[in-house]
Amino acid sequence: MRRWKTEDLCIGQAATLCVRVFRDESQPKSERAVALCWILHLFADGHQPCHAGSLYAPCFDDGDRGANGIRLGGGGNLHAAWDRLLGNRASAGDVRRRVAELGDVRSKLASEAKQGGEKWLLPETWLTESREYGRSHVYTDEVTGPVIAASRGATARLPKLKLSADYFVAEGKVARMQAKRAAYRVASVLTVDSESVQ
């Protein structure tokens, strides 16, 4: 991949390039291996809604940088909280459980893929989906209410937010489904028979 200028690529362009390199059997195995690593990384990141958009309001100088600028009362920021919605463990048992969960929604994902056709696999499709999940699930009223208040000068600055347990339960479901979509799409673009993903 060193032969391509990649510094200025957005996530969709980078994902498209990496899929092309991985599928090109004339490329050196080392280049294809690097491309595969990037495919896994980019597809996963692109399905996390905080990577697909930012909130712009007067209380932010340059947007919230994908929820990184929204601090939480328990520490960290909203972007990091979304990253943790899938859990902090990577044990073999946890991986097996997640793979089993993917099998549980395989028919739903196959139906989505069939309905969406080839466009369903395109980065612009899944990035648009992620952006919509950002609007509807990352930036709920619990988040936008304090942002609006801070932007109107009702508070000196945006306070650290304390989000409800209901927020994290609901958004955890979205994060898990997005991870499953990412896995299914990766299997599809790598020309693995997605029906065999168990």
Side-chain angles (χ1 to χ4, degrees), residues 21 42 162:
V21 170
L42 295 169
K162 181 165 177 23

Side-chain angles (χ1 to χ4, degrees), residues 5-196:
K5 284 192 128 214
T6 57
E7 309 83 48
D8 298 323
L9 298 181
C10 69
I11 192 169
Q13 294 167 322
T16 299
L17 172 63
C18 290
V19 169
R20 189 172 67 226
V21 170
F22 177 79
R23 288 180 172 171
D24 184 351
E25 294 183 11
S26 71
Q27 295 298 318
K29 287 182 181 179
S30 60
E31 295 289 327
R32 294 178 72 210
V34 170
L36 175 60
C37 293
W38 275 106
I39 289 167
L40 298 171
H41 180 90
L42 295 169
F43 274 62
D45 270 3
H47 281 77
Q48 203 273 51
C50 296
H51 285 275
S54 291
L55 180 63
Y56 290 86
C59 66
F60 300 117
D61 290 334
D62 202 19
D64 76 344
R65 299 178 347 264
N68 280 293
I70 298 178
R71 296 172 303 144
L72 299 181
N77 60 57
L78 187 56
H79 184 113
W82 267 81
D83 284 342
R84 288 190 305 271
L85 285 172
L86 295 177
N88 295 324
R89 297 183 328 207
S91 70
D94 192 50
V95 171
R96 280 191 292 277
R97 183 178 56 79
R98 301 249 182 221
V99 170
E101 288 174 3
L102 180 59
D104 294 342
V105 296
R106 184 175 48 198
S107 61
K108 175 185 174 27
L109 295 172
S111 176
E112 279 185 19
K114 185 175 182 181
Q115 223 174 9
E118 289 192 23
K119 284 187 174 184
W120 192 77
L121 295 175
L122 297 177
E124 50 267 25
T125 299
W126 39 268
L127 287 166
T128 298
E129 287 172 3
S130 289
R131 189 169 45 254
E132 290 304 316
Y133 280 118
R135 286 182 182 146
S136 61
H137 291 277
V138 175
Y139 301 114
T140 65
D141 292 344
E142 282 188 72
V143 174
T144 59
V147 169
I148 291 168
S151 294
R152 290 183 176 159
T155 58
R157 63 183 195 164
L158 181 64
K160 292 181 178 181
L161 303 186
K162 181 165 177 23
L163 300 175
S164 69
D166 289 343
Y167 177 94
F168 291 107
V169 169
E171 309 328 335
K173 290 177 185 174
V174 170
R176 286 187 296 278
M177 191 62 200
Q178 282 295 91
K180 293 168 190 173
R181 282 189 181 99
Y184 194 92
R185 283 175 164 133
V186 165
S188 297
V189 299
L190 298 180
T191 65
V192 172
D193 177 6
S194 55
E195 286 302 310
S196 69

